[in-house]
Amino acid sequence: MKANLRNLISILLSLAALAFIFVLNWQTPAPFPDPLLWVLFAALLAYTTMYGIPIGVGEVSLVPMVALTAVFTMGILPAAAAVTASDLFYGFYRWNWPCLLYTSD
């Protein structure tokens, strides 16, 4: 799969997931956490998505651990919104500056 198509799919799925989370939150509003905490987790998730830890022949990603920490700290809907927002940011980042990231394509 071409990198541009993969990035476009990532961006579109992130927008769809954010819309779904918005609809879920509209029906049963949950208290949203401190915006600074949400931005911190979204930025940390975007960073851990972009840069894994190289080991041997592959990489280890810290995204699952950070996402689980976000769920325990903020709740499921704000954490899901932070994950999809970070994925959206990462898709735009790869779309605009693919040469700055290591890709296997």
Side-chain angles (χ1 to χ4, degrees):
M1 180 183 297
K2 297 278 187 187
N4 282 340
L5 180 62
R6 184 178 60 229
N7 294 334
L8 181 64
I9 290 171
S10 174
I11 290 168
L12 292 177
L13 287 176
S14 297
L15 288 174
L18 280 176
F20 181 67
I21 290 168
F22 180 75
V23 168
L24 285 179
N25 202 28
W26 185 282
Q27 293 175 352
T28 57
F32 204 75
D34 181 22
L36 182 62
L37 182 66
W38 187 86
V39 168
L40 175 73
F41 272 113
L44 190 58
L45 283 162
Y47 179 77
T48 55
T49 301
M50 284 186 220
Y51 304 108
I53 299 170
I55 59 163
V57 294
E59 279 188 346
V60 174
S61 176
L62 297 174
V63 172
M65 184 175 63
V66 175
L68 191 60
T69 305
V71 168
F72 288 151
T73 305
M74 299 187 299
I76 190 79
L77 283 178
V83 168
T84 54
S86 69
D87 187 43
L88 183 64
F89 171 75
Y90 179 63
F92 280 125
Y93 186 82
R94 284 188 59 138
W95 182 276
N96 291 320
W97 301 285
C99 60
L100 297 178
L101 295 171
Y102 170 77
T103 58
S104 59
D105 296 337

